[in-house]
Amino acid sequence: MSERSFVMVKPDGVAKGLTGEIVSRIERRGLEIVGLKKTVMTREAAEEHYGEHRERPFFGELVQFITSGPVVMMAVEGPDGAVAALRTMMGATNPLDSAPGTIRGDYALEVGENIIHGSDSPESGVRELGLHFPELS
C-alpha cells in the first residue's frame, strides 16, 4: 500500500531559499515527489485550504500570510506511514518545540511563519491534493 501527502513550502521558506533543501530532504528519505509547482495561492484557494480554521481568530492572518508570496506545492507519495514520516521531518507546529534536525527546528522561530505545511493525515492529504493537484486525484 501507499499514501500521498500534500506538502507546501510556505512564502517564508521560499523567500529564505529553502525549497531545494526541503525537496532534497524529502527525496533522501525515500519519498517520491509526484507533483510539483510554484505559484502564488489565491485568497479563495487559501480560504478553502485552511477552511477548518475559519472560526479561529488567526484565520485572517493565516490567509494573508500564505497569499503574500510564492509557495511551492508538492504531491508526495510513499509507503503506508509516509504522512507520519513527513510530519516527523517537519517538526512541531511551534518551531520552538521542534527538535533540531527537523525542518522547523532548523529553520523557523515563529508559529505564524514556520516554513512548511504538510497534511496531518492521509485523509487530509486526499482533500488537500484534490484542491491543489486535481489532476492526480
Side-chain angles (χ1 to χ4, degrees):
M1 295 293 295
S2 67
E3 56 188 36
R4 286 186 175 171
S5 182
F6 174 74
V7 175
M8 177 172 51
V9 181
K10 295 179 179 181
D12 55 327
V14 173
K16 291 178 179 180
L18 295 173
T19 302
E21 170 68 17
I22 291 168
V23 167
S24 180
R25 285 183 182 209
I26 291 168
E27 291 181 326
R28 285 194 319 255
R29 187 71 189 261
L31 301 169
E32 182 181 2
I33 297 171
V34 296
L36 177 74
K37 61 184 167 185
K38 184 176 184 179
T39 188
V40 175
M41 195 183 294
T42 66
R43 179 171 190 81
E44 294 78 24
E47 287 177 353
E48 188 169 355
H49 179 86
Y50 289 115
E52 71 268 15
H53 300 301
R54 187 173 305 278
E55 302 304 320
R56 300 220 171 161
F58 59 82
F59 179 73
E61 291 175 27
L62 182 60
V63 169
Q64 183 177 347
F65 168 65
I66 207 67
T67 60
S68 69
V71 296
V72 174
M73 299 180 178
M74 292 174 261
V76 180
E77 186 174 272
D80 282 349
V83 171
L86 285 162
R87 298 293 297 177
T88 299
M89 291 171 62
M90 290 180 346
T93 301
N94 183 342
L96 299 179
D97 296 333
S98 293
T102 65
I103 293 165
R104 291 176 177 146
D106 289 351
Y107 301 115
L109 292 171
E110 299 176 37
V111 172
E113 295 186 13
N114 62 3
I115 307 294
I116 190 168
H117 166 87
S119 303
D120 62 8
S121 68
E123 296 76 21
S124 291
V126 169
R127 184 185 73 78
E128 293 173 348
L129 289 167
L131 289 173
H132 304 294
F133 289 94
E135 66 277 13
L136 296 176
S137 297

